[in-house]
Amino acid sequence: MEFIFRPEKITENLFYEISEAVAKRAEIFSRRKLPGLWEKTDRLNENRLPEKALIRRRKFRRFYGIICIALGFFLFVPGLVKPDELFVPLVVGAVAMITGISAVIPRKTNAERYLKKAKKLAKAINSSIEKDDTVVFGDSGIFENGALLMKYEELENLIENRSIFLVCGGTKIMVLRKTDMVSGNPEEFGIFIESKTGRKIENCN
């Protein structure tokens, strides 16, 4: 049994998906290296507030940040004009504005942190793709244009996202779209890979 992909060049609309997969890969390595820390993190995440409560908290945080910036501005400006007489308001105003700004600025998600790497990876992959390239997942390993690329025991990660697979092994990283598959389907492919590696495919969701 084999599954055949004909990779096409990666388009911009996939950058964020790739970033999510790269972030997931980084998490997998981190979990292997620091299992104790991740055990504590997972316990904390289990006790997270419901999504609606988190949205209310974010809105309150932004409102609080705007108030801090406004109050800080009214304290900081007079203190800046007369620093000797209004040194305390100057310092308090500066601290309030810094606190407000940090509260207003949105926090980056893991995927956003890895977006630059994802774009760089996509660019490198696009530069190496040629017309009629094929990637075949066969019984004895993974083949690229007829040549053995890696055996399944060398496959470090296969990460699935909404419309892509991120394949990682050794120095080779491939991004294969599900629409690039010309033989087989994603569900059967997942079962096949898990049977060959003895590991479940990691999913970004």
Side-chain angles (χ1 to χ4, degrees):
M1 189 174 188
E2 61 182 28
F3 295 84
I4 303 172
F5 291 81
R6 292 194 185 278
E8 297 287 340
K9 289 190 182 292
I10 298 167
T11 51
E12 190 174 341
N13 64 308
L14 288 177
F15 287 170
Y16 195 81
E17 268 200 65
I18 296 169
S19 182
E20 289 175 322
V22 172
K24 183 67 177 179
R25 182 172 184 250
E27 180 188 323
I28 292 167
F29 280 111
S30 179
R31 283 181 179 275
R32 290 175 187 169
K33 192 174 181 180
L34 303 166
L37 178 62
W38 276 99
E39 187 179 341
K40 292 176 183 177
T41 302
D42 289 338
R43 281 203 298 268
L44 288 172
N45 286 337
E46 285 175 2
N47 298 321
R48 285 184 68 189
L49 292 171
E51 189 61 28
K52 287 184 179 179
L54 289 173
I55 291 171
R56 286 197 299 270
R57 178 180 284 185
R58 284 194 288 268
K59 286 181 178 178
F60 174 77
R61 191 168 176 265
R62 282 195 289 269
F63 175 74
Y64 162 80
I66 292 168
I67 295 297
C68 283
I69 292 171
L71 291 175
F73 179 80
F74 285 114
L75 289 171
F76 181 77
V77 172
L80 195 62
V81 175
K82 296 180 179 181
D84 293 334
E85 298 177 24
L86 301 172
F87 179 73
V88 173
L90 175 66
V91 173
V92 173
V95 171
M97 284 198 294
I98 292 169
T99 302
I101 290 169
S102 65
V104 169
I105 294 175
R107 295 179 181 178
K108 284 187 176 182
T109 63
N110 279 342
E112 288 169 339
R113 294 188 187 101
Y114 284 92
L115 192 55
K116 188 174 180 180
K117 284 187 177 180
K119 291 178 180 178
K120 187 176 179 181
L121 173 62
K123 185 178 179 181
I125 290 172
N126 282 346
S127 66
S128 66
I129 290 177
E130 295 183 4
K131 188 179 179 181
D132 297 327
D133 278 353
T134 58
V135 176
V136 178
F137 291 76
D139 286 326
S140 58
I142 304 170
F143 297 81
E144 187 175 41
N145 298 329
L148 179 64
L149 184 65
M150 69 180 82
K151 295 182 178 179
Y152 288 109
E153 53 265 32
E154 299 173 286
L155 183 63
E156 294 173 2
N157 303 109
L158 199 150
I159 300 167
E160 182 179 4
N161 209 347
R162 293 176 295 280
S163 57
I164 64 166
F165 292 105
L166 182 71
V167 184
C168 310
T171 58
K172 186 68 176 179
I173 298 179
M174 294 183 290
V175 175
L176 301 172
R177 282 177 290 204
K178 293 177 182 180
T179 54
D180 292 339
M181 188 180 288
V182 296
S183 173
N185 63 62
E187 291 74 23
E188 292 174 343
F189 177 66
I191 295 169
F192 175 80
I193 292 297
E194 289 175 1
S195 70
K196 288 295 183 181
T197 62
R199 303 192 307 271
K200 285 191 173 294
I201 289 181
E202 298 287 347
N203 203 298
C204 293
N205 301 327

